[in-house]
Amino acid sequence: MDMAAGVDARLPIRSDMDLVWVRQHVRQAAARVGFGLVDQTKLVTAASELARNTLVYGGGGTMLSEHVREGAANGLRLTFTDEGPGIPDLEQALSDGFTSGDGLGMGLGGARRLVHDFAIESAPGQGTTVRVTSWTARPPRPREES
C-alpha cells in the first residue's frame, strides 16, 4: 500500500527563476530521501523538463513535492499541474522523438524514462497534470498508474 510520508513543498512555476527553485528543491529533497547522485540527477532532469513544460505550454502552474513510502522503499513524488490549453494528442506527445523544439529536447517521453512511475492527465481546454515518482529502491511489486 502506498502512503504519503509528507508533503515537502508546493512551489509556484510562473517564471524562469521558479524553474531554478524547482530544480534546487528536487535535488535537496531527493538527497534527504536517500537518492544517490545519479538518481538525483535523473529526477532533477525530469523535473526540469516537466516544470519548463508547465511554464511554457501551460502558462504556469505548480509543483507539489511529496516524500512517499511503500514498504521499505522511500520515494519522491512530484506533481506538476497547470490550467493551460491541455495536450490534444497524448500518444503523440509521449512518443519517442516528439518535441516541440523547446526545453531540453527530451520531451515527455524522455522524462517518463527517467522516473519509475509516470502518469499524465490532460484534455484540450482542461490543463495538464503530470505525476512522477522515483524510488530509492524499487517497491516490492510492480506499480501501474494511468
Side-chain angles (χ1 to χ4, degrees):
M1 180 172 171
D2 184 82
M3 58 189 277
V7 172
D8 288 326
R10 181 180 305 273
L11 299 176
I13 302 172
R14 302 265 179 237
S15 69
D16 285 339
M17 192 64 214
D18 290 337
L19 300 179
V20 173
W21 294 119
V22 164
R23 287 191 294 269
Q24 288 178 347
H25 171 81
V26 171
R27 182 163 308 277
Q28 291 169 357
R32 274 195 314 272
V33 170
F35 285 87
L37 185 57
V38 170
D39 290 328
Q40 287 177 38
T41 301
K42 287 180 181 180
L43 188 55
V44 169
T45 301
S48 183
E49 181 76 4
L50 296 171
R52 179 158 291 285
N53 286 353
T54 299
L55 178 62
V56 172
Y57 303 110
T62 60
M63 181 195 76
L64 177 68
S65 170
E66 301 170 275
H67 175 198
V68 293
R69 288 189 199 148
E70 186 169 317
N74 279 300
L76 192 60
R77 175 174 296 140
L78 307 174
T79 304
F80 297 85
T81 305
D82 69 57
E83 295 179 8
I87 301 170
D89 188 341
L90 276 176
E91 188 174 325
Q92 179 188 32
L94 288 166
S95 66
D96 282 345
F98 180 80
T99 182
S100 62
D102 293 329
L104 299 174
M106 67 180 197
L108 290 171
R112 178 171 59 179
R113 284 189 297 277
L114 292 171
V115 298
H116 292 118
D117 302 320
F118 182 98
I120 185 169
E121 297 172 17
S122 186
Q126 297 180 15
T128 301
T129 298
V130 180
R131 182 173 299 106
V132 299
T133 308
S134 286
W135 299 93
T136 56
R138 283 297 276 174
R141 62 180 169 75
R143 297 182 41 79
E144 292 292 325
E145 292 189 51
S146 58

